[in-house]
Every structure is written in C-alpha cells, then in structure tokens.
C-alpha cells in the first residue's frame, strides 16, 4: 500500500440475466480520486446509490462489448446524471456501435443532456492507450468473445522519488532542488557541490495495476496484456461441469480463469459473471483456488483495495 487510493467496488457480478441475488456486470474503480466505471449493466445506477458511490464524480465509463448485460444501464445512468445537474463532460470508451444506440435512445425520449458526451472507440488490435493523465493510464486489449469485445488495463504511473528531509538538511540542499530530486536527478547544495540523488531520496512505492477481462473464452493470448498485475478480474461464467458449454458460448470456467491468472503471474484474482444456473459460488471458489489460491468472489458491495 502506498497510502493513495486504489480500490475496486463490485456493483454487479451476474451473467446475462439478473437474478434476485445478482446484478449484471459493473464495477467502480477509484485510482487516486479518479472514478472509472467499468461496464454498466442494468441497475448500475441503483447499485451506485446502494453503496453510496460518488456518481457525479465518474468522468470516464468503459464498456467492453455490446451484449446487453454490459451496457443496458447506461441510458438510465446518463439521464440521472442530467437530472442531478451534471455539467462536466463525460467520456465514454467502448465499441463504435455503442454511440448510435445511446443517441437513438436519447433522441427518441427527447432527452437533452446539459453536459457533453465525449465518445472514444476501442480497437481490438493489441494494446491501445485510451486515457492518460499525470497519475493514471488506461488501455484496452482484445478479448475473444462471440462478438467484438475488449478488456481494460488500468495502470498507475510511476510515482516520484521520496524525499528525505533530514538528509536534505544534513547535506545542505535547499528545498528548491526538490522537483529535480523527485525526478531522480542529482542536486546542488548550498556549497555548490553535487549531491547524489540516492543520498537524499528513497524508492517510491511500485505502481499498481488492475486488469478487467469480461467476457471471454479461455484464451492464453490475453496473458501478455495482463502479466504481473496486482489485481485481475476474469469472468467465470461456468464450472468445469460445463466446460463444453463455456467454449460454445465463448465464456470461461472458474478453473480456466484461475489458470490464466496463474500463467499471467498476477497477485490476486477476482472471479464473477456467474451463470444464473448456479445457486451458490462455493464451488466456483474451490474450483478456482485449486489452481490459483489467491482467488476471491466478486461479491456485490465488496471493495478490493490494493
Ligand atoms: Zn457477452
């Protein structure tokens, strides 16, 4: 932990049809107070309310693909943001087919938004940078599903070196040198001497990362994109008793998700997108943990901190 927020709130973790227990896919990722909504299944806005998430702070929404359980919540959320008086532009990242669908819904219902929607299209030719600021970058990568689908990789940017104020005093280095030191450069002291950076600073915390893989057939081709992430979400629609069905429908089993996590050497795996045919997640967990021990269930309302 480096003291700055990097946390994932699970809003929906069911597959195609909502059940009394589970909502369709949606997650809210907070990286140093940037709020990224990932997928927006039906009822996402109600889940945001339920877990007291900061709806109007969401400026970036990422949609993986055009199956309804991943975006049917979007028109409602956009309208609610309008009713709550939103003014800030909202950036939406997703397949190019998403924009006309949303626009026709807004048009047919004569909904006028008083804020700007800024559309960004994903591509499925390798890793594509979608968003970047001074702290974070977000990229998409291809997934293999029945229709066009991408995953998303959220990475913290390298942090500045940590300044040791006592050492600054000791070596007579003024505060004016701090910006240089943070970048890893050496400093000049009050006597005109050069003082090496490593005498005055320590290593910053390692940048953290999160990868989101939903929906996808089990595919080793995804490993290079998600290697060594701190946290991986991978869909696990089925158990091994339905391996054949998983393949037919371009989904994964819990065991397959775990084997991808292991191969990609991630720190922790979360599984979700459970088919409504299963009543409980107990077997999902045991099946996944038999291949990758550090696995958790994406239970709605849970927050995973890195
Ligand atoms: Zn799908």
């Amino acid at each position: 932990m480096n003291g700055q927020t990097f946390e994932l709130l699970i809003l929906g973790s069911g597959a195609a049809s909502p059940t009394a227990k589970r909502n369709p896919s949606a997650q809210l990722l907070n990286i140093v107070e940037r709020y990224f909504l990932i997928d927006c299944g039906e009822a996402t806005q109600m889940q945001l309310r339920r877990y007291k998430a900061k709806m109007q702070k969401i400026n970036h929404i990422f949609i993986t693909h055009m199956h309804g359980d991943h975006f049917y919540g979007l028109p409602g959320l956009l309208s609610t943001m309008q009713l709550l008086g939103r003014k800030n532009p909202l950036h939406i990242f997703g397949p190019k087919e998403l924009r006309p669908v949303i626009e026709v819904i807004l048009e047919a219902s004569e909904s006028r938004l008083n804020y700007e929607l800024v559309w960004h299209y994903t591509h499925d030719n390798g890793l594509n940078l979608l968003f970047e600021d001074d702290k974070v970058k977000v990229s998409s990568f291809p997934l293999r599903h029945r229709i066009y689908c991408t995953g998303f990789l959220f990475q913290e940017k390298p942090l500045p070196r940590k300044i040791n104020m006592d050492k600054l005093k000791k070596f007579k280095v003024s505060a004016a040198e701090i910006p240089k030191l943070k970048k890893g450069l050496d400093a000049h002291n009050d006597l005109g001497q050069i003082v090496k950076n490593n005498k005055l600073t320590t290593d910053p915390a390692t940048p953290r990362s999160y990868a989101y893989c939903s929906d996808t057939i089990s595919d080793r081709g995804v490993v290079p994109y998600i290697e060594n992430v701190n946290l991986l979400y991978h869909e696990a629609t089925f158990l091994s008793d339905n391996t054949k069905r998983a393949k037919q429908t371009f989904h994964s089993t819990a065991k397959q998700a775990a084997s991808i996590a292991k191969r990609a050497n991630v720190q922790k795996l979360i599984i979700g997108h459970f088919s409504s045919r299963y009543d409980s997640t107990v077997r999902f967990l045991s099946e996944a943990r038999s291949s990758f021990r550090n696995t958790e269930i994406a239970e709605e309302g849970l927050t995973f901190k890195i």
Side-chain angles (χ1 to χ4, degrees):
M1 286 247 200
N2 71 6
Q4 292 197 297
T5 315
F6 195 124
E7 60 184 44
L8 180 74
L9 169 65
I10 307 298
L11 299 166
S13 60
S17 36
T19 65
K21 282 190 199 160
R22 281 183 202 287
N23 289 282
S25 297
Q27 302 184 350
L28 184 66
L29 179 67
N30 173 357
I31 308 180
V32 286
E33 301 310 301
R34 284 126 178 97
Y35 290 82
F36 301 113
L37 181 66
I38 312 167
D39 277 338
C40 187
E42 221 177 309
T44 294
Q45 58 171 324
M46 285 144 85
Q47 291 292 83
L48 287 166
R49 284 260 158 96
R50 181 165 294 137
Y51 300 118
K52 299 186 171 32
K54 296 171 178 165
M55 192 186 288
Q56 291 292 45
K57 287 206 167 176
I58 297 169
N59 291 327
H60 303 91
I61 299 179
F62 297 85
I63 304 292
T64 52
H65 68 299
M66 291 302 288
H67 281 153
D69 56 323
H70 294 258
F71 83 95
Y72 281 176
L74 195 51
L77 178 63
L78 299 183
S79 302
T80 300
M81 284 175 161
Q82 160 73 12
L83 291 172
L84 295 174
R86 185 184 179 98
K87 291 282 182 285
N88 291 335
L90 181 67
H91 295 260
I92 303 179
F93 303 78
K96 63 181 188 320
E97 292 78 10
L98 182 61
R99 180 178 182 169
V101 172
I102 298 300
E103 285 182 345
V104 83
I105 292 172
L106 293 172
E107 208 179 294
S109 59
E110 296 188 15
S111 307
R112 222 190 126 265
L113 302 181
N114 285 324
Y115 60 91
E116 190 190 355
L117 290 183
V118 188
W119 294 93
H120 308 261
Y121 305 132
T122 53
H123 302 279
D124 62 355
N125 55 344
L127 196 68
N128 268 285
L129 182 67
L130 298 174
F131 167 81
E132 160 169 61
D133 66 12
D134 58 328
K135 303 258 166 133
V136 183
K137 62 178 183 174
V138 187
S139 312
S140 64
F141 54 87
L143 292 175
R144 280 182 59 209
H145 193 39
R146 282 205 305 289
I147 59 172
Y148 171 94
C149 185
T150 71
F152 297 110
L153 175 65
F154 299 82
Q155 294 168 294
E156 199 173 29
K157 286 198 171 169
L159 300 163
R161 295 194 61 76
K162 277 194 203 156
I163 307 294
N164 184 329
M165 293 309 284
D166 292 340
K167 292 285 168 71
L168 249 62
K169 244 185 226 165
K170 184 179 163 195
F171 288 98
K172 301 192 185 333
V173 174
S174 79
E177 297 290 288
I178 287 178
K180 265 162 66 183
L181 287 167
K182 283 189 169 176
K183 287 183 195 155
L185 301 169
D186 297 336
H188 281 91
N189 69 6
D190 299 343
L191 310 169
Q193 298 159 325
I194 292 174
V195 186
K196 288 273 177 215
N197 188 294
N198 61 16
K199 293 210 163 97
L200 304 167
T201 68
T202 51
D203 290 342
T206 313
R208 296 160 293 180
S209 52
Y210 171 58
Y212 180 80
C213 293
S214 179
D215 299 355
T216 185
I217 197 169
S218 179
D219 175 21
R220 287 178 190 176
V222 81
V223 169
Y225 302 118
I226 61 173
E227 235 163 359
N228 304 319
V229 294
N230 298 84
L231 186 63
L232 167 69
Y233 169 84
H234 194 291
E235 72 126 289
T237 308
F238 297 103
L239 290 169
S240 293
D241 58 356
N242 270 300
T243 304
K244 218 168 128 189
R245 174 124 187 91
K247 198 173 170 187
Q248 280 165 357
T249 56
F250 284 80
H251 283 297
S252 303
T253 67
K255 199 168 180 61
Q256 289 169 337
S259 106
I260 294 288
K262 191 174 176 184
R263 199 167 273 272
N265 191 37
V266 309
Q267 275 176 23
K268 187 197 268 283
L269 168 69
I270 313 171
I271 51 173
H273 200 265
F274 308 114
S275 163
S276 56
R277 75 185 61 207
Y278 302 102
D279 284 338
S280 134
T281 53
V282 174
R283 281 164 64 212
F284 281 88
L285 200 55
S286 58
E287 203 174 88
R289 281 184 175 170
S290 70
S291 295
F292 188 81
R293 213 170 61 86
N294 200 6
T295 304
E296 301 290 343
I297 296 292
E299 287 298 352
E300 291 166 20
L302 276 188
T303 297
F304 294 91
K305 294 183 186 186
I306 307 178

